[in-house]
Amino acid sequence: MSLLGSMTTAISGLSAQSRALGHVSDNVANSQTVGFKRVDTNFTSWLTRSNLRLHMPGSVEARPDYTNTVQGTVEQVENPLAMAIAGQGFFSVAQARGGQGDSVVFDDRQFFTRAGDFAMDRDGYMVNGAGYYLEGWEIQQNGEPDRTTLGPIRISELVYNPQPTSTIDLAANLPANVATVTTVPGAAPWAPAEDPVSSVIQIFDDLGNQQQVTLDWWRLDVDTWRLRITPDGDTLNPVDGYFADIDFGGQIAAGPPAVDAPAGTISAITPLSATTGTTPAPLVAGDPAFLGFTVDYGFGNQTIELGLGGYGIPTGLTSYSGTEYSVRDLSQDGVPLGSFSGVTVRENGDVAVNYDNGQTRIVARVPVVAFNDPDKLQRLDGQAFMRTVESGEARVTDAATNGVGKLVTGSIERSNVDIAAEFSKLILAQRAYTSNTRIVTAADEMLQDTINMKR
């Protein structure tokens, strides 16, 4: 029994070292595979009988020791859609079973991976090198992700629809030291001798065509300025424009109640055209100061609000000392037609579609998935995993929260294989295998000698 047991033990050693060699071979072969996790070898002994008086040869078993939690090197790449996870966690991915475009059929099972070499395929899906489709949360109309549902991310919004201008914001200082006008502007036709201080801003109509609005200012008295808004191409009021008086810290004879405002800040706005509407009343310091006007570029009425800051506070439009008209900001919210120009992923996981009109639309957010014991995940082809009972439930959360790692964009995670360590294990496996063959040879010779005793 002892000789046969010794041979059996040695043969189990051969088998165990063969498996260890297989692990080393797999690791070395995948040393450049994105997101690959190496497999170490855990040798476990099994006893036949062992006590204080007797020990009989047992056997050894080589079990895989997975290193799914060991971080690989994060390497920067030129692919803007590539991502790596610095820390714990996995990407949630799906696998296609057939079809293309809108008719792609996905496997009902959920898969996970650390291979973040994603790129956009011809159908607009984000797919990694192993063919797995990146999943994320869809962005709702309120701008927040829908965290109740995960689905493959698809970039299908290739055109950014134009948005007509609805708001113009002006921040400027009207010079308080310029002369007042001698002819009060406002009566049509009107061509005052005094030149106004002016601002011109480009806006957009309903079809995304660029239009122009001119803001002309004349100083009427110490505290009052008259504004003329002239939208070029406007069929409603193409000549005269829209007029309003704006008071800075002074009292006015007519119009809505003035705010008790410091000198140089807006105290009251009096529209002089019925189409501009009325100023809210009663007013308090800090209320938004604005004028509304309506234009028509041939596509129906387009209402625009001119924001001038606030009443009684030195923001937006002011009238302090000086002789030059100083514009700090003149902006509008209209957007022309935009075409797709690219996709980027932000560090919080937001997938942003960029357009050639300078606009960006967030279409999805990439979460990170965590497990209680990632080393117990079931391995699949293509550096993918599936959950098991031993791994625990998948916890889907935002990147860099709840103990999961953060996203490193424009990067990939390399294999966590150390070539030097693998060759060291290779040498040990080879020597151990050779040593076990010597035991098999010795046991065979001893058994032969035992058989020869019969002669």
Side-chain angles (χ1 to χ4, degrees):
M1 176 62 185
S2 180
L3 288 177
L4 291 174
S6 298
M7 181 177 289
T8 302
T9 299
I11 291 174
S12 72
L14 294 175
S15 177
Q17 296 304 327
S18 296
R19 291 187 180 183
L21 183 63
H23 297 165
V24 172
S25 176
D26 193 38
N27 292 340
V28 173
N30 287 280
S31 61
Q32 300 303 311
T33 302
V34 175
F36 178 81
K37 300 301 180 181
R38 74 174 187 269
V39 181
D40 293 335
T41 306
N42 182 15
F43 294 98
T44 304
S45 65
W46 296 102
L47 300 179
T48 302
R49 184 179 178 186
S50 180
N51 54 42
L52 294 177
R53 292 182 174 271
L54 177 66
H55 177 83
M56 299 181 66
S59 64
V60 63
E61 181 182 19
R63 291 183 174 180
D65 187 8
Y66 298 112
T67 61
N68 301 339
T69 57
V70 178
Q71 176 83 50
T73 302
V74 174
E75 177 181 311
Q76 187 175 9
V77 294
E78 295 181 357
N79 178 11
L81 297 183
M83 289 175 286
I85 299 175
Q88 297 299 307
F90 296 82
F91 298 109
S92 178
V93 291
Q95 190 174 42
R97 296 191 300 179
Q100 61 182 12
D102 295 330
S103 60
V104 175
V105 178
F106 292 99
D107 197 311
D108 293 333
R109 296 173 296 174
Q110 193 172 13
F111 303 94
F112 310 95
T113 187
R114 296 273 293 193
D117 54 335
F118 297 103
M120 193 165 64
D121 70 0
R122 64 179 182 178
D123 296 321
Y125 291 102
M126 295 177 63
V127 185
N128 70 5
Y132 287 94
Y133 291 67
L134 179 63
E135 292 188 316
W137 294 319
E138 185 179 359
I139 299 298
Q140 305 173 96
Q141 291 185 350
N142 62 3
E144 290 297 318
D146 180 6
R147 292 181 172 85
T148 62
T149 305
L150 271 176
I153 298 175
R154 188 183 184 192
I155 311 301
S156 59
E157 300 176 6
L158 303 183
V159 174
Y160 196 100
N161 293 335
Q163 295 179 359
T165 299
S166 61
T167 301
I168 299 174
D169 290 316
L170 173 65
N173 183 62
L174 295 169
N177 300 116
V178 300
T180 59
V181 297
T182 56
T183 303
V184 177
W190 176 69
E194 295 83 357
D195 292 331
V197 293
S198 302
S199 295
V200 178
I201 185 170
Q202 308 299 325
I203 66 171
F204 298 93
D205 61 25
D206 291 75
L207 297 186
N209 299 313
Q210 186 170 283
Q211 306 290 347
Q212 182 173 290
V213 171
T214 303
L215 307 178
D216 294 318
W217 302 88
W218 291 271
R219 187 174 180 225
L220 301 185
D221 56 40
V222 175
D223 299 311
T224 307
W225 287 77
R226 179 155 294 179
L227 167 65
R228 180 177 69 183
I229 305 173
T230 309
D232 293 349
D234 174 24
T235 61
L236 290 178
N237 199 341
V239 178
D240 301 325
Y242 306 89
F243 289 87
D245 284 351
I246 302 179
D247 285 76
F248 294 87
Q251 297 299 318
I252 57 176
V259 174
D260 185 13
T265 62
I266 297 175
S267 61
I269 299 176
T270 306
L272 304 182
S273 172
T275 58
T276 59
T278 58
T279 305
L283 298 172
V284 298
D287 281 349
F290 61 88
L291 280 166
F293 61 98
T294 302
V295 296
D296 185 353
Y297 294 110
F299 314 109
N301 290 349
Q302 179 177 341
T303 301
I304 300 176
E305 182 180 286
L306 174 62
L308 302 175
Y311 288 99
I313 54 178
T315 61
L317 189 67
T318 57
S319 182
Y320 293 127
S321 64
T323 58
E324 297 294 333
Y325 179 44
S326 175
V327 178
R328 298 185 299 273
D329 178 57
L330 184 56
S331 58
Q332 55 86 39
D333 62 354
V335 176
L337 178 68
S339 298
F340 173 84
S341 65
V343 182
T344 56
V345 181
R346 299 174 179 175
E347 291 187 354
N348 68 343
D350 283 350
V351 179
V353 182
N354 303 314
Y355 300 89
D356 60 5
N357 60 357
Q359 300 300 306
T360 298
R361 177 181 286 123
I362 306 300
V363 297
R365 178 173 294 179
V366 179
V368 177
V369 184
F371 298 90
N372 290 337
D373 191 354
D375 289 337
K376 295 298 191 299
L377 291 169
Q378 178 183 342
R379 289 194 165 208
L380 303 172
D381 294 337
Q383 305 92 264
F385 303 88
M386 283 183 61
R387 69 165 295 274
T388 63
V389 174
E390 292 79 10
S391 69
E393 292 292 335
R395 304 192 312 276
V396 184
T397 183
D398 287 272
T401 62
N402 300 318
V404 302
K406 66 178 182 178
L407 294 179
V408 184
T409 58
S411 303
I412 57 174
E413 181 187 3
R414 287 295 182 185
S415 165
N416 63 358
V417 174
D418 184 343
I419 292 293
E422 296 304 315
F423 278 120
S424 298
K425 290 187 285 186
L426 174 62
I427 294 172
L428 292 174
Q430 182 180 8
R431 295 306 181 193
Y433 188 92
T434 302
S435 300
N436 279 282
T437 62
R438 295 293 185 269
I439 294 176
V440 171
T441 301
D444 177 58
E445 292 176 352
M446 294 173 70
L447 284 171
Q448 186 63 45
D449 291 341
T450 302
I451 294 171
N452 290 338
M453 288 174 61
K454 183 179 178 182
R455 298 177 182 176

